[in-house]
Amino acid sequence: MDEKTKSGIIHDLLKSVKLNNGFYLWMAFLSVSLVFCLTAYYQQLTTGLGVTGLRDYISWGMYISNFVFFVASSLIGMLISSVLGLTGQKWITPITRMAEIIAFAFAAVAGLVIVSDMGRPERLLNVFIHGRFQSPILWDVTVVTTYVMISLLLFIVPMVPDLAIAYNNRTDLPKWQRLLYKLLSLNWVGSKEQKDLLHKAIRILLILVIPVALAIHTVTSWLFAVTPRAGWNSTIFGPYFVTGAFVTGVASVIIAMYVFRKIYHLQDYIKEIHFDKIGKLLVLVSLVYLYFNINEFLVPGYKMPKHESITLHSLFNGGHAIMFWFVQLAGLVIPIFLLLLKKFRKPTPLLIIGIFVFIGAWLKRYLIVVPTQEHPFLPIQNVPQSYTFYQPTFTEICITLASFILVLIIVSVLAKVFPLIPIQETIDERNNKTESHEE
Amino acid sequence: MKSSFILIVVISLFGTFVKAQTPWVVPDDKKGLLAPIKFSDDTRKLGLEIYNKTCVSCHGHPGQPDQAKLVPPPADPASKVYQQNLDGELFYKITEGRGLMPSFKKMLKSEEIWNIISYVRTFNKEYVQKVGASDSSSGVKGKVTAKLNYTVKNNKIEVKVIQQINKMPINGAKLSLYAKRNFGWLPLDEIRSSNSLGIITFNYPNDLPGDKDGNVNVKINMANADGTEQTIIDTIIKTEVKRSQYNLLDNRTMWNVRSMAPIWLVLSYCGAVLAAWGVIFYIIWILLRIRKSGSETSN
């Protein structure tokens, strides 16, 4: 199978770019769902945040949990392309672009999720006009914007040679798509000067994205950790969030790998070995995250300081206990043990585990955001009963779903319109392999 | 040491309760005191306002069982037992207080206490007011003028009280000194009597802060015959103790507005943003060079 010719690889990897009926159907389904969910947003916009379950005491709910989750998921681009790429891991080649698409989609929609949490979204610009340097909110807005830009560049720049290939090889595509390829391929002819420049640009981007990605999720954690409240008042929140983000991101990539491999028939490119490798990666990042979880809960749980004990008990054996233990066990501990066995690192079992980790990761964000607010330092007095707990409403769930649909739309379009697996890199790698065989 | 202190507190509390449960006897000469004013809708209205500010928290709303849960329980002003008190008895009890019932002689003017009484009497259908003799509230007959003299050096406040009509010094007038604080009037020194020259000397504390210029608002109250007080001087004295006015928003701090952000933070933020976006624009410039190089090659 490895002996595929260059033209064979090009043919295989460009097969998916033509928009077909299946794609149109899928997009129609997503669009209709999105419109349905956006009516909920229209309701929220005209009526106000009263349509949500958010009240005076618990004013951050599903939206903010979802925002944290989206930011977390977007970190995968940095992990796969930069950390693994710069350390010379070759197996990541077929999934780098996928990871960048996921990173860009989640980061871009994360910004919108924040807007959905605003009662007066038309005042968004005030964050920039009147933002205080002292406030993590300004840092967060800044760093999310920067990260979206870098993710977009990391998606497009390495793709430049592929776009030239696509432009030259797929003359049958519609005019707009060829024009898009021509425009973004930057007159690529593959000269040494161009290769050197491109290599330089990618190299700088891969280094730049590391501090920015660390910053985006560290700052997100600081939105919580700079307050002295029980459950948020933690010095390890930065690395705790970042490592948690890697778990979420790897799970997203596993799901994407499985799905695209199936529908684009990429079995020759995304092989079982890739699932095996990313399964091992998931074990690694989960172990690190487990380590942080133990620190985050065992140490305060051992001390049980009075002001934190209410929140901790609500997680360990109170109202949030079922969700908490589901997240820790089904979303973290059991996957680690299962993935240590080779047979669970096959595509289908890995997909199922990935889905559990993904759901666990989302619920984990909910557990970070909500329970703390249910237990303020001052007693909750003279308010209706409904103010003392948080229950997301149907409207809220619809708007949250809308953000997921938006991510799916972005991922679907980018993965369809552009070649999903890097063509030039695949060809180069196989050439190198053949050469080294000949030597 | 600690346990004996607790013991003393317990015993005195116990003593208070025991004392509180005995009937509250009002001296005969005070019982017959009558209001110098005729109760009217105006006095009742004023009385209601004062009642709601100073009495309702313990005595509740008259006629409703919402009195504070204290031992002994505060009486409901609408109750029969309460209304059996004569006007003079009510006045005495409000003025002097006992146990948990505070004394109001320093907090309310006699007129205000009479207004409260006029209000609580609305819960007694059989009540008919007897008006007392015209203004006898002052222990000193006739109008009084007083002059205050504060000397910084020895921290004394000297007050001279004289009759307004004949300028004669008043002997034996009981005066007390207060300084205005954020929470109200703070009693200073003790109640003192004027001598035959009408002069009273108060000790003024040497550590009581004034405003940023050292100004303190003080007042002198004179005791009336009915136990209440009337203010005869309300003035500002200049002391040497100035309050240092330190505004937490004067410096660059985390909690300040944007323009007062700490310099290091502004530099860090701007530096990071400029660095990141500088690199991004550098990348875009490289991309433009790739494009240019390509068009040159193909030409």
Side-chain angles (χ1 to χ4, degrees):
Chain A
M1 282 298 232
D2 266 7
E3 310 310 319
K4 276 204 187 244
T5 56
K6 186 179 167 188
S7 59
I9 293 172
I10 293 174
H11 176 260
D12 281 358
L13 296 183
L14 283 178
K15 215 170 4 181
S16 65
V17 295
K18 194 174 168 66
L19 309 189
N20 53 11
N21 287 339
F23 177 75
Y24 287 130
L25 203 66
W26 171 238
M27 289 311 285
F29 167 71
L30 288 180
S31 308
V32 170
S33 317
L34 185 67
V35 169
F36 174 76
C37 290
L38 286 182
T39 55
Y41 185 64
Y42 177 76
Q43 191 203 353
Q44 179 184 306
L45 206 58
T46 47
T47 324
L49 283 173
V51 297
T52 67
L54 304 168
R55 292 294 181 266
D56 292 29
Y57 287 95
I58 299 121
S59 55
W60 283 0
M62 216 175 194
Y63 297 148
I64 299 293
S65 316
N66 199 38
F67 165 74
V68 177
F69 177 79
F70 275 28
V71 172
S73 303
S74 77
L75 249 65
I76 189 62
M78 179 272 257
L79 177 69
I80 299 277
S81 309
S82 283
V83 177
L84 298 181
L86 288 173
T87 51
Q89 297 289 326
K90 289 286 172 239
W91 63 271
I92 56 157
T93 308
I95 59 169
T96 47
R97 193 159 297 154
M98 218 180 281
E100 284 310 330
I101 290 174
I102 290 171
F104 170 73
F106 274 116
V109 180
L112 290 178
V113 171
I114 280 291
V115 177
S116 75
D117 192 56
M118 299 174 72
R120 299 289 300 268
E122 78 277 11
R123 295 182 179 172
L124 179 67
L125 275 184
N126 286 358
V127 176
F128 296 97
I129 300 169
H130 304 293
R132 290 165 67 247
F133 296 114
Q134 299 98 312
S135 165
I137 297 207
L138 178 68
W139 313 339
D140 208 48
V141 170
T142 314
V143 80
V144 168
T145 321
T146 311
Y147 188 70
V148 169
M149 187 65 198
I150 296 175
S151 296
L152 188 63
L153 284 172
L154 261 179
F155 168 63
I156 291 173
V157 175
M159 196 167 58
V160 166
D162 290 3
L163 292 174
I165 294 171
Y167 179 76
N168 294 329
N169 286 277
R170 290 299 298 257
T171 43
D172 58 322
L173 291 175
K175 222 174 177 181
W176 65 266
Q177 205 171 352
R178 296 204 70 218
L179 195 71
L180 186 70
Y181 290 166
K182 189 170 168 53
L183 210 69
L184 289 177
S185 63
L186 308 172
N187 297 328
W188 182 262
V189 287
S191 67
K192 187 173 181 306
E193 191 193 358
Q194 279 190 325
K195 276 183 180 164
D196 287 348
L197 284 170
L198 190 74
H199 184 70
K200 190 174 166 190
I202 293 172
R203 193 101 188 144
I204 296 172
L205 275 175
L206 287 179
I207 294 167
L208 176 68
V209 75
I210 295 175
V212 176
L214 285 178
I216 185 178
H217 216 34
T218 306
V219 168
T220 307
S221 82
W222 286 349
L223 291 176
F224 303 94
V226 294
T227 69
R229 299 188 65 167
W232 292 350
N233 186 15
S234 165
T235 53
I236 62 163
F237 245 41
Y240 176 54
F241 270 46
V242 170
T243 49
F246 292 155
V247 177
T248 320
V250 172
S252 324
V253 168
I254 288 171
I255 297 167
M257 276 167 76
Y258 187 91
V259 173
F260 285 122
R261 181 179 190 247
K262 265 259 148 45
I263 56 174
Y264 287 176
H265 309 293
L266 296 170
Q267 282 82 351
D268 289 347
Y269 299 89
I270 303 175
K271 298 176 188 166
E272 295 219 339
I273 175 88
H274 294 109
F275 283 93
D276 186 66
K277 292 265 192 192
I278 201 157
K280 286 174 181 166
L281 180 65
L282 185 55
V283 174
L284 174 69
V285 292
S286 297
L287 278 172
V288 179
Y289 190 45
L290 181 66
Y291 170 72
F292 274 103
N293 264 289
I294 290 170
N295 273 283
E296 183 59 24
F297 291 107
L298 199 66
V299 176
Y302 181 89
K303 293 180 284 190
M304 265 309 168
K306 200 172 176 209
H307 64 283
E308 284 186 33
S309 61
I310 305 169
T311 309
L312 286 170
H313 279 305
S314 80
L315 292 173
F316 295 162
N317 48 18
H320 299 291
I322 293 173
M323 199 192 277
F324 178 79
W325 291 113
F326 172 80
V327 165
Q328 297 295 359
L329 297 176
L332 203 54
V333 177
I334 297 172
I336 291 174
F337 279 109
L338 291 182
L339 289 175
L340 289 174
L341 306 170
K342 196 174 173 67
K343 65 177 174 189
F344 285 104
R345 297 196 298 266
K346 302 270 180 234
T348 310
L350 189 60
L351 172 77
I352 294 165
I353 292 171
I355 290 171
F356 268 95
V357 172
F358 191 83
I359 294 169
W362 194 92
L363 294 174
K364 174 79 187 175
R365 296 336 185 256
Y366 185 90
L367 286 175
I368 290 173
V369 173
V370 173
T372 290
Q373 296 172 84
E374 290 176 350
H375 311 112
F377 284 126
L378 295 174
I380 298 178
Q381 288 176 325
N382 305 324
V383 292
Q385 180 64 24
S386 65
Y387 280 39
T388 58
F389 60 92
Y390 171 69
Q391 183 81 50
T393 60
F394 182 67
T395 314
E396 235 171 325
I397 294 167
C398 283
I399 295 171
T400 303
L401 276 179
S403 64
F404 272 100
I405 295 169
L406 222 67
V407 168
L408 280 179
I409 289 177
I410 295 176
V411 171
S412 305
V413 168
L414 293 181
K416 183 73 193 169
V417 173
F418 297 106
L420 182 62
I421 291 185
I423 305 170
Q424 189 65 52
E425 274 181 73
T426 310
I427 294 169
D428 290 350
E429 254 171 43
R430 296 207 175 171
N431 283 346
N432 286 346
K433 216 178 264 174
T434 336
E435 273 163 29
S436 58
H437 273 301
E438 282 163 7
E439 281 162 19
Chain B
M1 191 62 199
K2 199 178 167 189
S3 57
S4 59
F5 173 71
I6 292 170
L7 196 67
I8 289 169
V9 171
V10 170
I11 289 172
S12 26
L13 278 175
F14 186 67
T16 313
F17 292 148
V18 170
K19 200 177 147 203
Q21 277 153 358
T22 60
W24 195 348
V25 183
V26 176
D28 286 342
D29 58 324
K30 307 280 182 190
K31 265 187 193 169
L33 191 67
L34 294 172
I37 46 164
K38 173 98 181 84
F39 295 163
S40 65
D41 285 346
D42 286 344
T43 63
R44 285 186 272 270
K45 202 179 146 207
L46 289 169
L48 171 65
E49 278 173 25
I50 304 164
Y51 183 89
N52 282 340
K53 256 189 249 170
T54 53
C55 317
V56 78
S57 59
C58 291
H59 288 278
H61 298 88
Q64 290 174 35
D66 59 350
Q67 283 73 31
K69 308 248 176 312
L70 299 171
V71 182
D76 174 6
S79 67
K80 209 164 183 179
V81 182
Y82 186 99
Q83 293 290 347
Q84 274 169 357
N85 283 290
L86 298 170
D87 287 353
E89 287 175 305
L90 285 180
F91 187 89
Y92 177 83
K93 289 177 179 179
I94 297 171
T95 320
E96 297 300 326
R98 183 179 72 158
L100 292 175
M101 167 77 187
S103 156
F104 282 91
K105 67 178 157 199
K106 290 187 176 173
M107 285 185 243
L108 297 173
K109 296 179 187 143
S110 68
E111 198 184 315
E112 290 172 325
I113 295 174
W114 286 120
N115 286 338
I116 295 173
I117 295 169
S118 90
Y119 162 67
V120 297
R121 287 302 188 197
T122 56
F123 299 96
N124 183 356
K125 295 276 174 283
E126 291 149 25
Y127 173 77
V128 183
Q129 194 205 356
K130 282 188 216 155
V131 185
S134 69
D135 189 19
S136 64
S137 62
S138 173
V140 179
K141 297 272 180 289
K143 293 265 181 187
V144 172
T145 46
K147 205 182 149 206
L148 182 143
N149 191 15
Y150 168 69
T151 45
V152 177
K153 213 173 92 188
N154 53 4
N155 278 305
K156 299 280 184 201
I157 285 186
E158 196 185 83
V159 181
K160 186 171 182 179
V161 276
I162 50 172
Q163 294 279 10
Q164 203 178 35
I165 309 168
N166 52 13
K167 311 279 186 234
M168 289 292 285
I170 302 170
N171 188 5
K174 287 194 167 55
L175 267 60
S176 36
L177 169 69
Y178 301 86
K180 190 166 194 175
R181 305 280 88 192
N182 284 331
F183 48 84
W185 291 97
L186 173 72
L188 303 175
D189 208 5
E190 52 196 45
I191 299 170
R192 292 182 183 276
S193 294
S194 55
N195 60 17
S196 56
L197 298 170
I199 292 173
I200 299 166
T201 310
F202 289 104
N203 297 316
Y204 183 82
N206 59 6
D207 56 354
L208 189 78
D211 64 8
K212 63 183 194 303
D213 300 318
N215 291 329
V216 180
N217 186 0
V218 293
K219 73 173 183 182
I220 303 283
N221 278 6
M222 189 170 75
N224 295 326
D226 59 16
T228 60
E229 296 182 343
Q230 59 167 312
T231 302
I232 53 171
I233 296 175
D234 187 341
T235 183
I236 287 168
I237 59 170
K238 195 169 168 63
T239 71
E240 287 199 318
V241 190
K242 293 171 185 174
R243 184 165 54 208
S244 54
Q245 293 278 331
Y246 176 63
N247 191 342
L248 287 172
L249 294 177
D250 283 345
N251 297 322
R252 291 184 169 275
T253 45
M254 278 294 182
W255 56 80
N256 217 325
V257 293
R258 176 170 62 179
S259 57
M260 292 297 274
I263 292 284
W264 66 266
L265 189 64
V266 178
L267 290 179
S268 309
Y269 174 85
C270 296
V273 170
L274 284 177
W277 282 89
V279 176
I280 290 173
F281 284 113
Y282 178 62
I283 298 285
I284 292 171
W285 183 66
I286 292 180
L287 296 183
L288 292 177
R289 276 170 65 197
I290 293 176
R291 193 182 157 81
K292 202 172 156 218
S293 157
S295 63
E296 278 162 9
T297 320
S298 52
N299 285 346

